[in-house]
Amino acid sequence: MLIGEVARRSGVSTRMLRHYDALGLVRPTGRTVGGYREYADADIRRIFHVESLRTLGLSLREVARALEDPAFAPQTLVADLIRRTEERLERERELLERLRAVEGAEPAGWRAVLRIVELVRDLGSADPPRRLRTVLNPAANEPVPTELLTAAVLAESEPNMAGALRWALARAGTDGLAGLAPGLRSSDAEVRRRAVLAVAEIPGDAATELLTAALADPDSAVRGPAALAAGARGVTVAEPALIDMVVTGTNDVDAGEVLGALSRDPATADRILDALTAALTAHEADASVRLRLIQALVELPGTGALAILQPLRADADPAIALVATAFADLVAARSSG
């Protein structure tokens, strides 16, 4: 089969076939009387083998080694190809995010595009002080676009920098919620947690709705901050998550304070008191849990906690009895005062 027919059937250009021949990668078995390349069936199969390996990202030198060296083991090369592909995909992902940032900011001209690209680069810097300067002291005193701030908030892992970004985003009001909402649906629990912390600093009903929805998150590291923020806004469905935080000792002091604030409503107070009492019974063998629950009871307004604390004065555990006595006296003095 002559080179033109091979090119037509294989999809490999005649120029590339000649290049393969020059490299010794695929040499035609014979020549015609006129000196034209003539490919046999085995040559055609080798061409397809070369093209298949090239689709994996192998260089022509690597393809030649794979086909010629019987001792060649693919594991190392394949692992290297995976690493190179992952690096390329990461570069492509960064480019895609940069393009989306430019699109979302709706620049009016190329000068604005260049500024957005500069902001994206600075916010993605490995140097935290540089990222901080970009947020707090933007060039030309122009605030960082909300779209860039939300993306930075969801990506930032350094605690101080994350706080500065949330502060800057909160100044934009509810405009940042559109960019944070997808973060609450991320498959990465850490991204969802960052989104909740940012939403918590934005006032308004729309933010409260997002926090309430986050109470159903399967990860306690996301539910906890959502419960603290939603409960502080008067969302009573946060109560079970808050009580669980007291039981597990996760920000239990903060959770107790929020439960106390929610208990200013008498109907809510009765429900929370019942839930804390049930938790005391359920964890009667764990002194540390009981101590945290007693501390949460003291946060409740009024004297409702006294009925629970009084019997605990005589508890078999000396630490429980001592704390319950001190707190019962505190609640009694508080109500009489």
Side-chain angles (χ1 to χ4, degrees):
M1 189 181 300
L2 298 182
I3 190 170
E5 182 66 12
V6 172
R8 187 179 67 80
R9 295 195 177 190
S10 67
V12 182
S13 68
T14 57
R15 180 179 180 182
M16 185 59 75
L17 289 171
R18 293 189 184 97
H19 185 51
Y20 288 171
D21 188 2
L23 294 175
L25 190 58
V26 182
R27 284 182 172 157
T29 300
R31 295 270 180 171
T32 65
V33 175
Y36 294 106
R37 294 172 176 83
E38 190 169 32
Y39 292 82
D41 289 344
D43 302 329
I44 305 298
R45 284 195 295 273
R46 187 175 174 91
I47 290 170
F48 283 116
H49 291 162
V50 169
E51 292 302 302
S52 295
L53 291 173
R54 287 188 66 198
T55 64
L56 296 178
L58 274 68
S59 67
L60 292 179
R61 179 175 295 182
E62 290 167 337
V63 169
R65 184 184 174 198
L67 293 177
E68 298 296 338
D69 185 357
F72 176 72
Q75 288 84 356
T76 301
L77 180 58
V78 170
D80 184 59
L81 287 170
I82 291 173
R83 177 186 59 78
R84 280 152 44 184
T85 302
E86 288 176 341
E87 290 175 352
R88 187 182 72 252
L89 288 174
E90 179 62 20
R91 291 193 298 271
E92 292 293 328
R93 185 189 65 79
E94 291 176 358
L95 174 60
L96 179 60
E97 290 182 355
R98 188 167 298 184
L99 289 170
R100 282 176 172 165
V102 171
E103 180 186 40
E106 299 180 350
W110 284 110
R111 184 181 296 276
V113 169
L114 292 173
R115 166 164 164 70
I116 293 166
V117 171
E118 181 181 357
L119 285 171
V120 171
R121 184 186 65 242
D122 290 344
L123 288 171
S125 169
D127 181 23
R130 181 178 179 181
R131 301 200 300 274
L132 187 61
R133 288 194 301 272
T134 301
V135 174
L136 300 182
N137 300 298
N141 292 320
E142 296 179 16
V144 179
T146 303
E147 294 82 1
L148 298 188
L149 278 176
T150 53
V153 163
L154 297 178
E156 184 59 57
S157 59
E158 202 282 321
N160 291 332
M161 185 62 212
L165 285 168
R166 291 196 298 270
W167 170 82
L169 185 59
R171 295 179 66 190
T174 57
D175 290 348
L177 294 177
L180 292 173
L184 293 170
R185 300 189 295 271
S186 170
S187 60
D188 187 336
E190 177 58 22
V191 172
R192 300 198 302 275
R193 186 188 72 85
R194 293 169 189 164
V196 163
L197 292 175
V199 172
E201 297 192 22
I202 299 174
D205 293 341
T208 302
E209 289 177 6
L210 291 177
L211 291 169
T212 303
L215 293 171
D217 195 279
D219 196 298
S220 60
V222 181
R223 286 196 310 275
L228 290 174
R233 297 177 184 221
V235 178
T236 58
V237 292
E239 293 165 17
L242 291 167
I243 291 173
D244 184 62
M245 292 173 72
V246 174
V247 170
T248 60
T250 306
N251 295 108
D252 53 292
V253 174
D254 294 334
E257 290 178 352
V258 175
L259 286 169
L262 286 171
S263 296
R264 290 172 187 149
D265 177 3
T268 301
D270 291 341
R271 186 171 59 245
I272 291 175
L273 182 62
D274 290 343
L276 290 172
T277 304
L280 273 170
T281 302
H283 297 278
E284 60 182 356
D286 192 326
S288 60
V289 173
R290 295 173 75 203
L291 285 170
R292 290 195 293 271
L293 288 166
I294 289 171
Q295 184 171 348
L297 280 167
V298 178
E299 297 291 341
L300 305 186
T303 59
L306 274 177
I308 309 302
L309 294 172
Q310 294 288 13
L312 294 176
R313 289 176 180 266
D315 195 87
D317 188 313
I320 297 292
L322 181 64
V323 172
T325 298
F327 282 169
D329 292 343
L330 176 64
V331 171
R334 185 178 63 195
S335 60
S336 63

